[in-house]
């Protein structure tokens, strides 16, 4: 039944992925502005990856031609894979924090004051606030749940691209 949906309604699935991304972004804004959690640099990179997945999945669902939606879905897959990588790195830092964890610059401070070749390694090295676990749900941190969401989106996109919408796209 589920595989039938991948074959007959690939654009609906892509629209669903875009809607889930929008919901996750809204939840992130809730945690930031209502609960008061400040996002670390890695969290901000994950948000940008989520935005990119949402936009590319929405663009993919907007086009009726198979080449159109498959191309945009492939870009969404790349963004979801990148987001999963960043979330996995942050989860690793939370499980195995560095011995010297200092609060580093914020994301925008790094981008403004350093070249990208210096700022990107600084982001992935993590800082003291990247290792902090301020919120949990069922034993998992935000980074853990973000990783799970990115992996599930990636698996759905891989399956969608592999099956290729065997019937006419709706």
């Amino acid at each position: 039944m589920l595989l039938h949906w991948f074959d007959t309604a690939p654009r609906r699935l892509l629209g669903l992925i875009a809607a889930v991304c929008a919901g996750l972004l809204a939840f992130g804004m809730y945690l930031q502005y209502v609960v008061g959690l400040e996002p670390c640099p890695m969290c901000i990179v994950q948000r940008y990856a989520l935005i990119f997945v949402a936009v590319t999945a929405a663009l993919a669902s907007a086009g009726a031609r198979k080449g159109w939606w498959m191309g945009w879905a492939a870009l969404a897959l790349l963004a979801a894979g990148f987001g999963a990588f960043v979330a996995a790195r942050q989860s690793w830092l939370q499980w195995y924090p560095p011995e010297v964890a200092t609060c580093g610059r914020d994301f925008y401070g790094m981008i403004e004051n350093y070249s990208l070749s210096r700022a990107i390694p600084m982001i992935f090295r993590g800082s003291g606030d990247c290792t902090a676990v301020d919120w949990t749900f069922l034993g998992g941190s935000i980074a853990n749940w973000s990783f799970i969401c990115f992996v599930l989106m990636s698996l759905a996109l891989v399956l969608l691209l592999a099956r290729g919408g065997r019937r006419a796209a709706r």
Side-chain angles (χ1 to χ4, degrees), residues 61-118:
S61 70
R65 290 183 309 179
K66 185 175 181 178
W68 170 271
W69 67 259
M70 286 190 77
W72 285 109
L75 285 175
L77 175 61
L78 288 174
F82 176 71
F85 168 77
V86 176
R89 176 67 179 147
Q90 185 176 6
S91 293
W92 177 266
L93 287 172
Q94 288 174 349
W95 291 330
Y96 305 104
E99 291 184 26
V100 178
T102 61
C103 291
R105 292 184 177 268
D106 67 329
F107 178 78
Y108 299 108
M110 285 188 246
I111 298 298
E112 290 173 359
N113 294 320
Y114 297 104
S115 65
L116 279 178
S117 62
R118 280 191 66 197

Side-chain angles (χ1 to χ4, degrees), residues 22 24 45 71 91 96 112 115 123 145 156 160:
L24 291 172
V45 171
S91 293
Y96 305 104
E112 290 173 359
S115 65
I123 291 169
W145 286 107
L160 181 71

Side-chain angles (χ1 to χ4, degrees), residues 5-168:
W5 202 49
F6 279 86
D7 290 338
T8 60
R11 292 176 47 211
R12 288 183 192 156
L13 178 66
L14 290 162
L16 178 65
I17 289 172
V20 167
C21 289
L24 291 172
L25 287 166
F27 184 66
M29 294 294 119
Y30 167 79
L31 288 177
Q32 181 176 354
Y33 293 110
V34 176
V35 177
L37 299 179
E38 282 299 315
C40 72
M42 289 181 137
C43 293
I44 294 171
V45 171
Q46 290 172 58
R47 279 189 189 175
Y48 284 130
L50 200 57
I51 290 168
F52 195 76
V53 172
V55 169
T56 52
L59 286 170
S61 70
R65 290 183 309 179
K66 185 175 181 178
W68 170 271
W69 67 259
M70 286 190 77
W72 285 109
L75 285 175
L77 175 61
L78 288 174
F82 176 71
F85 168 77
V86 176
R89 176 67 179 147
Q90 185 176 6
S91 293
W92 177 266
L93 287 172
Q94 288 174 349
W95 291 330
Y96 305 104
E99 291 184 26
V100 178
T102 61
C103 291
R105 292 184 177 268
D106 67 329
F107 178 78
Y108 299 108
M110 285 188 246
I111 298 298
E112 290 173 359
N113 294 320
Y114 297 104
S115 65
L116 279 178
S117 62
R118 280 191 66 197
I120 290 174
M122 289 171 67
I123 291 169
F124 288 105
R125 197 168 332 162
S127 62
D129 45 342
C130 288
T131 62
V133 178
D134 297 327
W135 180 90
T136 60
F137 178 70
L138 296 176
S141 69
I142 296 171
N144 302 146
W145 286 107
S146 179
F147 175 75
I148 290 169
C149 291
F150 277 121
V151 167
L152 289 175
M153 284 186 276
S154 297
L155 289 174
L157 289 165
V158 164
L159 188 58
L160 181 71
L161 289 169
R163 295 187 69 86
R166 295 185 180 163
R167 296 188 184 156

